[in-house]
Amino acid sequence: MVRKHGCALDSLLSADVVTADGEFVTASLTENPDLFWGLRGGGGNFGIVTSFEFQVHPAGMVLAGLVLHPISKGREALRFWREYELTAGEETSNSFVMFTAPADLPLPDVLRSEAIVGIGGVYVGPLDEGERALRPLREFGPPTADIYQPMPYSAAQTMADFLWPKGLYSYWKSSFLKSLSDGAIDTILDFYSKTPSPRTVIVVEHDGDSAWSRVPEDATAFGHRNWSYNIVVTTMWTDAADTDANICWTREFWSAMQPFLADAAYVNYLGEVSEEGVRAAYGRKYERLAALKAKYDPTNFFCMNQNIRPSLGKQEARTA
């Protein structure tokens, strides 16, 4: 529901927190508002949250799923999706995903002979309106398979879990995109066709021009709302002997993507958690977060995370 209601942090009303010195505090717009600002995007850097209070949004039954195209037809499908997204309503939160079909997924044979480009997501609203809104997406091509269906919102939250099974080796890269240009589409398709592992998944999310982007930039620690598209490459493999090949492929891919990437990252998708990467995730807000860290955790006790180091010259008792 990102495009309709923003991030989960945008619906946070308050949080109960145990700070590094053992103090129990409540953070909200009226109590400890500086801490509340930091919690909305700053991760586990400031304390242990023992409870969240959220504004909830009714969803009930939603229309969710994907249309599936073979990667050989991916260029046309993704260019169409890019244009479709320009007029898609905020009830629709969509992405495209590239993956190789697992053996137990019931699909037409053509989708087993090559990789898949899946396009879709969740429509939150009246189902009949969703059918009309999604019709152009579901008719273009036409797709080789259409797995959209009504389902409870709770089911929609887990419908893609099969793409990321537990127990695999993995190596991630992620960034916001300047735009979903033809060059970006072609580079993604070209490199995915040469991935050394069928377990690897690439996702490009579209969130912009919606509730996501209407939140004032300084309202929360989370930023970069001016970028509409985000890419995350989740390279995964089963055999340790294949580690070098998969990491090398990912780095070569990421190097080729550099002309299309914004100087910004989504903190939840950081693969290699370095200080440089964390700074990229917070941009100009990093220094404000570092000052907040110095106030609530001056020794950097909470450091096993996407770490924000305390500012003001505080001596850290622990290091990330």
Side-chain angles (χ1 to χ4, degrees):
M1 297 193 286
V2 173
R3 299 190 71 240
K4 189 172 184 179
H5 297 298
C7 300
L9 64 92
D10 296 324
S11 293
L12 184 64
L13 299 176
S14 69
D16 292 328
V17 186
V18 179
T19 60
D21 61 4
E23 185 181 3
F24 183 81
V25 300
T26 297
S28 69
L29 287 175
T30 57
E31 297 181 81
N32 301 297
D34 58 343
L35 178 59
F36 186 61
W37 178 87
L39 291 175
R40 288 181 294 165
N45 274 286
F46 309 107
I48 300 170
V49 177
T50 60
S51 67
F52 293 105
E53 179 189 12
F54 284 103
Q55 174 66 52
V56 295
H57 308 284
M61 294 293 291
V62 299
L63 189 58
L66 295 167
V67 291
L68 305 179
H69 300 267
I71 198 169
S72 57
K73 297 183 179 180
R75 179 174 291 105
E76 295 77 14
L78 294 180
R79 289 178 177 178
F80 171 81
W81 176 65
R82 179 181 61 195
E83 298 305 309
Y84 170 82
E85 288 295 295
L86 294 176
T87 58
E90 293 180 5
E91 294 79 10
T92 304
S93 291
N94 276 335
S95 304
F96 79 73
V97 56
M98 292 183 186
F99 66 101
T100 301
D104 58 351
L105 196 66
L107 290 174
D109 288 343
V110 66
L111 294 178
R112 299 197 175 282
S113 61
E114 57 182 298
I116 296 170
V117 174
I119 303 173
V122 180
Y123 182 94
V124 181
L127 296 181
D128 56 343
E129 294 180 14
E131 294 281 357
R132 290 192 293 271
L134 293 169
R135 186 173 296 126
L137 186 66
R138 300 175 72 182
E139 291 180 349
F140 178 81
T144 302
D146 178 349
I147 57 174
Y148 267 99
Q149 58 184 295
M151 64 181 72
Y153 180 70
S154 57
Q157 288 181 305
T158 61
M159 66 181 179
D161 285 1
F162 72 93
L163 292 173
W164 292 277
K166 296 180 180 179
L168 301 183
Y169 298 94
S170 67
Y171 185 73
W172 289 31
K173 291 288 187 181
S174 180
S175 178
F176 288 99
L177 292 167
K178 297 175 183 176
S179 66
L180 189 61
S181 64
D182 288 350
I185 290 173
D186 290 347
T187 302
I188 295 168
L189 288 165
D190 178 57
F191 267 85
Y192 193 76
S193 68
K194 298 179 289 189
T195 178
S197 173
R199 294 287 193 173
T200 291
V201 179
I202 297 176
V203 181
V204 173
E205 301 170 333
H206 176 247
D207 295 315
D209 303 317
S210 66
W212 150 287
S213 56
R214 287 196 297 271
V215 177
E217 176 64 21
D218 291 330
T220 68
F222 174 73
H224 303 315
R225 296 175 188 261
N226 55 314
W227 304 113
S228 294
Y229 293 94
N230 186 81
I231 180 171
V232 55
V233 181
T234 58
T235 306
M236 297 178 290
W237 61 99
T238 57
D239 190 335
D242 297 327
T243 296
D244 289 347
N246 280 279
I247 291 177
C248 181
W249 173 85
T250 309
R251 289 175 173 170
E252 289 178 357
F253 175 29
W254 209 240
S255 178
M257 286 295 296
Q258 290 306 304
F260 315 112
L261 303 180
D263 186 20
Y266 179 37
V267 68
N268 286 354
Y269 291 166
L270 289 179
E272 296 172 291
V273 182
S274 62
E275 184 171 356
E276 180 184 30
V278 175
R279 284 181 175 272
Y282 291 113
R284 64 181 182 84
K285 298 183 181 184
Y286 184 88
E287 296 305 324
R288 180 176 173 182
L289 285 162
L292 192 67
K293 178 80 169 185
K295 176 180 178 180
Y296 286 98
D297 183 15
T299 66
N300 203 20
F301 180 80
F302 298 111
C303 60
M304 303 301 290
N305 48 29
Q306 293 97 333
N307 192 239
I308 298 166
R309 295 177 180 272
S311 63
L312 306 179
K314 297 285 187 180
Q315 182 67 36
E316 296 177 3
R318 304 187 182 194
T319 56

